[in-house]
Amino acid sequence: MIARTEEYRPWLVQKYGGTSVGKLLDTITASIIPQYLKDYNVAVICSARSSASKSAGTTSLLLKALACAVSEDASTVDFDEVVDIIQSEHLLVAASLPNESALQSASKIIQLLRQKIIKECEALRRFLRATQVIGEASDRAQDKVLGVGEKLSCLVVAAALSLRGVEAEMVNLENIVQTADKRSTREQQAAYKQNPILYLQGLRDAVKDAILRCSATGKIPVVTGFFGSMPHSLLHTIGRGYSDLCAALCAVSLDAEELQIWKEVAGIFTADPTKVSTARVLPMITLEEAVELTYYGSEVIHPLTMSLLNKEDINLRLKNVKDPAGAGTVVYSTTPSPSPVQAPNSTEMEISRSLFMTSNGYYGKDQAKRVPTAITAKDLITLVNITSNGKLPPPAFLGQIIGILGQHQLSVDLASSSRQSLSLAVSAYGLVNVSDSIEEALSELEEFGSASIVPKMSIISVVGHKMKNMVGIAAEIFSALASARINIHLISQGASEINISFVVRTQDALLAMEVIHSQVMRIPGHAEREISLIRGEP
């Protein structure tokens, strides 16, 4: 790491979610961002704003407007009405921004913001009218529409900062893929499919140039969390977590000291606090653990975001917009930097990291953790049991079954097999109806054997770094479940050294999490805490 001096300030990338921008704009622009400007060059990444929830946010409204534009149903709401809602909401925000009398240009900033909002919404209307004439929306069309949400959000944040005396400007990344990659769409799709991380790394120079052009003018870059038309479409390729991935891409491009993702929660918890009342905030967690938690039900961060940061050895910190002074959760990479060149302060950095890891329960050279880190649950799981009729040899049988499920947009999350039978924990991806998809798949599966399903199941995943080194941990988990009289329908261990997963009935999932949280992870309940306090114990 280069030492911070008067001449040099490292980059810090901060990403703010849509609901944070929608509900806590003043806190972000008046308090959080300004406090970092003395020590860092700050790049701000924004999601499309939401005043209450994602389902009622700008991105959802934009998708609705696009659906209205291509709908043949006469009763469908006119897309103009949806655009009116988007425009009026953002104009209301512009009107509510503080108009400081000490800043002579304040009224001009607000007036310019209003003009830009109206201009973006009018451009959206024209595009939707053209889409309506065609009668269908391509992947590129969907990307074009979705990008409006992030642009509007960034315009608002940049104006709010400028009104606070911090000059800022929107950096629009909606065309960054086309700027960086001149290949055909087919070639882009093939490259992304072969190696998503390598493909994303190929965008870094274009992203860096766009941000530095803004920074060179002395303004804070406020970057759209929507970064262009990816192969297929950004929403289809990445999903709704694309703004997190954009923030990671910016951090990698700028060789940032840290990526901060600001949410409205204190950090990553040992369990979902809405399900387990004794859940605690984790001061730190490894990237590998965070990826597992994300995949198996916790809304932590997009897996590709983790992988991209891990490749570049950049730390991630989750912070709480409602408690800016809180430490949050640090997500550390456990993969050493690929660079053979040792930075001047590398020894001190490694010692500091080692002490931090040790103080949070990670021990030894391999950073093994003595108890599991966290537990999570993934609902809406269906258990599919198949016994082979002998038509296919075992390897072909497994491949054929998984292939059939994939054709019906069903994902196999866990599997247990013998030579003649398979038990699969299956979930749906996309917008398909789980029950309908499984029923359709069953008729095809029965060609290769007898098949049955068990609906209303949940996957419980116990995650801990190097957990395979925890001798007896599986016995502890299953003993805890047995004490609560919870039956296990499928067990998976070995594919990941940091995860033990099993399937239980959804009605038992909450109890399963609670008993493992208290008995295996040894996090006391409220009663135990009160007794400890009475005894004067920590």
Side-chain angles (χ1 to χ4, degrees), residues 93-109:
V93 175
S96 68
L97 292 177
N99 192 338
E100 302 288 349
S101 57
L103 196 63
Q104 294 182 353
S105 59
S107 59
K108 186 181 292 185
I109 291 170

Side-chain angles (χ1 to χ4, degrees), residues 142-390:
Q142 180 173 258
D143 281 353
K144 183 77 173 177
V145 171
L146 285 180
V148 174
E150 273 72 20
K151 285 192 284 184
L152 291 172
S153 181
C154 288
L155 288 171
V156 168
V157 172
L161 283 169
S162 297
L163 287 167
R164 302 284 184 181
V166 178
E167 285 195 79
E169 186 176 272
M170 178 181 73
V171 176
N172 184 7
L173 297 185
E174 69 174 342
N175 295 316
I176 208 70
V177 175
Q178 286 67 44
T179 301
D181 191 346
K182 303 298 185 183
R183 291 175 292 183
S184 68
T185 302
R186 185 183 295 274
E187 290 173 322
Q188 289 178 2
Q189 290 172 352
Y192 181 84
K193 185 176 181 180
Q194 183 178 9
N195 192 327
I197 296 300
L198 186 62
Y199 183 88
L200 291 167
Q201 288 175 322
L203 306 178
R204 61 193 299 173
D205 287 343
V207 171
K208 182 178 181 179
D209 289 345
I211 294 174
L212 291 184
R213 278 197 301 272
C214 174
S215 180
T217 65
K219 296 178 180 179
I220 302 298
V222 182
V223 186
T224 57
F226 189 94
F227 58 102
S229 185
M230 289 287 289
H232 292 301
S233 77
L234 189 59
L235 190 61
H236 179 271
T237 305
I238 308 298
R240 289 292 284 265
Y242 56 74
S243 57
D244 288 341
L245 183 57
C246 181
L249 183 58
C250 291
V252 167
S253 301
L254 296 168
D255 192 22
E257 185 170 290
E258 183 174 272
L259 168 60
Q260 295 179 347
I261 293 185
W262 290 78
K263 296 174 174 280
E264 292 170 71
V265 293
I268 300 174
F269 286 77
T270 52
D272 185 341
T274 65
K275 296 178 179 178
V276 180
S277 60
T278 55
R280 295 180 179 178
V281 176
L282 290 162
M284 69 83 56
I285 192 172
T286 66
L287 273 168
E288 292 87 346
E289 289 171 322
V291 169
E292 291 289 306
L293 289 172
T294 298
Y295 185 79
Y296 286 106
S298 294
E299 190 177 335
V300 177
I301 210 76
H302 195 285
L304 271 179
T305 301
M306 305 288 195
S307 299
L308 190 58
L309 293 174
N310 198 27
K311 284 284 185 183
E312 303 295 331
D313 201 20
I314 294 175
N315 292 331
L316 166 67
R317 188 185 298 270
L318 274 71
K319 297 271 287 178
N320 187 359
V321 182
K322 295 179 179 179
D323 180 23
T329 299
V330 179
V331 184
Y332 270 125
S333 165
T334 54
T335 302
S337 172
S339 172
V341 180
Q342 293 294 319
N345 296 329
S346 60
T347 303
E348 294 178 16
M349 285 175 61
E350 289 305 316
I351 292 172
S352 175
R353 175 178 293 193
S354 177
L355 288 172
F356 187 85
M357 297 282 280
T358 301
S359 68
N360 285 283
Y362 292 80
Y363 298 89
K365 182 180 178 181
D366 294 328
Q367 298 175 339
K369 193 167 177 63
R370 289 180 180 169
V371 295
T373 302
I375 184 169
T376 187
K378 184 175 183 178
D379 298 326
L380 300 176
I381 297 295
T382 298
L383 199 62
V384 179
N385 298 308
I386 309 144
T387 301
S388 173
N389 57 16

Side-chain angles (χ1 to χ4, degrees), residues 392-413:
L392 296 173
F397 174 63
L398 176 61
Q400 188 72 35
I401 297 304
I402 292 177
I404 290 172
L405 293 171
Q407 290 170 11
H408 292 275
Q409 289 188 280
L410 295 168
S411 172
V412 176
D413 294 317

Side-chain angles (χ1 to χ4, degrees), residues 40-57:
Y40 295 96
N41 288 308
V42 177
V44 178
I45 287 77
C46 297
S47 298
R49 67 181 301 278
S50 304
S51 56
S53 64
K54 284 185 179 180
S55 60

Side-chain angles (χ1 to χ4, degrees), residues 31-80:
S31 175
I32 297 176
I33 294 174
Q35 71 175 322
Y36 287 94
L37 296 178
K38 181 180 178 181
D39 296 321
Y40 295 96
N41 288 308
V42 177
V44 178
I45 287 77
C46 297
S47 298
R49 67 181 301 278
S50 304
S51 56
S53 64
K54 284 185 179 180
S55 60
T58 305
T59 298
S60 296
L61 288 172
L62 287 166
L63 288 172
K64 181 179 179 180
L66 183 60
C68 292
V70 298
S71 175
E72 296 179 357
D73 187 351
S75 64
T76 303
V77 176
D78 188 350
F79 68 78
D80 267 315

